[in-house]
Amino acid sequence: MSTSTAPLIEAPQLEGWDHIVSGKVRELYVPAGVEPSAAEEVLVVATDRISAYDHSLQPGIPDKGRLLTGISLFWFAQLAEIVPHHVLSGTDVPGAVAGRAVRCRGLDMVELECIARGHLTGSGLADYRAGSSVGGHVLPSGLAEASRLEPAIFTPSTKAAPGEHDENITVAQARELLGEDLTEQLESLTLAVFERARRIADERGIILADTKLEFGHSRIDGTLMLGDEVLTPDSSRFWSADTFTPGRTPPSLDKQFVRDWLTSPASGWSKGSTDAPPALPAEVVAQTRQRYVEAYERLTGQEF
């Protein structure tokens, strides 16, 4: 879980749990009195905070914590046959954080962001334009914004320290960092998760363009498990199939909407600036919430 140097709202005190980390968008707890690095169980609480370009933004997005938690729990259930995951319970949690907290197995996280790309966009498109390859995968010439990649590709990145930026690396570089066996496991699991999720999203009229996954080893028996959040609008790009046009950036159902506003003339801010980003206007907050709600309802089939 990434941490932020920005001032954060004080985490709630929860009976029986010790708060140990404030991330950009989540709070992490362990059972009271347990050494955090040895905790076999953790409580992950999603807040309404939103981040972009390694900054925590103000204000938050109403209901975002509940939306992300619900979407993650949906996907963990869909993926259980493919990969073990860290979820113990999404209901047996303290009442003060019900609906936005999950009890999870304690994991020692792998220091790698595992990214699967099914369409060419974002930093992947920038890498392709610079050298015709992404993550060490040489791609055909003539690809453009939103071009579909078939099959999807695994493009890892480093996990940056607080205040720094993740860096895209090649699969070969990942092997140097983690070893060949672990890297092959991560690649295989990442692509299996992505292809399963892509099919499910397609059935609901949503294009899953790319996603970021995180894995860790169980502190009980060392099993490699899917952790963190999974396939949410914070960690993935979702496009509505009925507005998709190859060669153009489709309207998104994720936080790309916030990134686009931050880098537009309307915000007056540059992502290379050392200044904190401006506050999000009310209309950006409202439209972001609407996108997250639509993603939740279309993916899970449940009314929010």
Side-chain angles (χ1 to χ4, degrees):
M1 181 176 66
S2 299
T3 57
S4 172
T5 56
L8 300 174
I9 298 171
E10 184 176 355
Q13 298 299 307
L14 303 175
E15 185 177 357
W17 297 90
D18 289 339
H19 176 256
I20 58 168
V21 174
S22 285
K24 294 190 189 81
V25 299
R26 288 182 294 279
E27 305 289 356
L28 191 65
Y29 299 76
V30 296
V34 173
E35 171 61 36
S37 63
E40 296 180 357
E41 182 177 337
V42 297
L43 182 73
V44 181
V45 180
T47 73
D48 291 345
R49 299 192 295 265
I50 190 166
S51 69
Y53 300 117
D54 298 310
H55 291 275
S56 290
L57 308 177
Q58 297 294 332
I61 309 300
D63 299 315
K64 178 173 172 283
R66 293 171 55 216
L67 288 160
L68 293 193
T69 299
I71 292 172
S72 282
L73 289 173
F74 165 79
W75 283 117
F76 279 122
Q78 300 297 315
L79 300 168
E81 296 178 359
I82 294 178
V83 57
H85 60 72
H86 70 162
V87 173
L88 293 170
S89 177
T91 55
D92 184 14
V93 299
V97 291
R100 58 188 184 92
V102 182
R103 284 178 49 229
C104 303
R105 294 174 177 85
L107 302 180
D108 292 318
M109 301 305 293
V110 176
E111 293 299 313
L112 195 75
E113 306 279 5
C114 296
I115 300 168
R117 300 181 189 273
H119 286 261
L120 195 57
T121 191
S123 64
L125 178 61
D127 290 348
Y128 172 77
R129 286 174 170 167
S132 299
S133 67
V134 184
H137 303 273
V138 178
L139 301 178
S141 61
L143 299 182
E145 171 69 63
S147 290
R148 183 178 173 95
L149 303 176
E150 192 64 61
I153 59 174
F154 174 65
T155 65
S157 73
T158 60
K159 292 179 70 170
E164 299 181 4
H165 300 284
D166 295 343
E167 179 182 349
N168 292 343
I169 61 174
T170 65
V171 177
Q173 288 173 313
R175 292 193 186 104
E176 293 175 4
L177 288 172
L178 302 177
E180 188 162 342
D181 289 346
L182 178 55
T183 302
E184 287 185 0
Q185 278 186 284
L186 294 170
E187 180 173 12
S188 177
L189 289 172
T190 297
L191 293 176
V193 165
F194 183 85
E195 293 298 350
R196 174 70 174 271
R198 175 151 73 171
R199 290 195 297 272
I200 292 172
D202 282 346
E203 294 168 359
R204 290 153 171 78
I206 289 178
I207 295 170
L208 173 60
D210 57 39
T211 197
K212 179 195 75 174
L213 304 176
E214 295 196 34
F215 295 86
H217 291 98
S218 166
R219 290 173 179 162
I220 296 175
D221 60 11
T223 299
L224 186 64
M225 293 184 168
L226 182 61
D228 201 58
E229 62 183 323
V230 62
L231 293 153
T232 72
D234 269 17
S235 63
S236 314
R237 282 186 176 90
F238 295 119
W239 300 331
S240 183
D242 58 9
T243 58
F244 176 73
T245 303
R248 299 175 58 185
T249 304
S252 68
L253 299 176
D254 53 63
K255 77 173 179 181
Q256 187 61 40
F257 179 74
V258 171
R259 296 190 192 102
D260 290 345
W261 180 82
L262 277 177
T263 55
S264 73
S267 77
W269 182 80
S270 167
K271 66 180 181 181
S273 172
T274 58
D275 296 331
L280 300 175
E283 62 270 20
V284 172
V285 171
Q287 290 183 57
T288 301
R289 181 185 183 278
Q290 185 275 327
R291 283 165 166 76
Y292 278 54
V293 169
E294 182 175 349
Y296 172 92
E297 293 185 340
R298 292 178 65 175
L299 289 170
T300 70
Q302 302 292 319
E303 184 177 358
F304 182 71

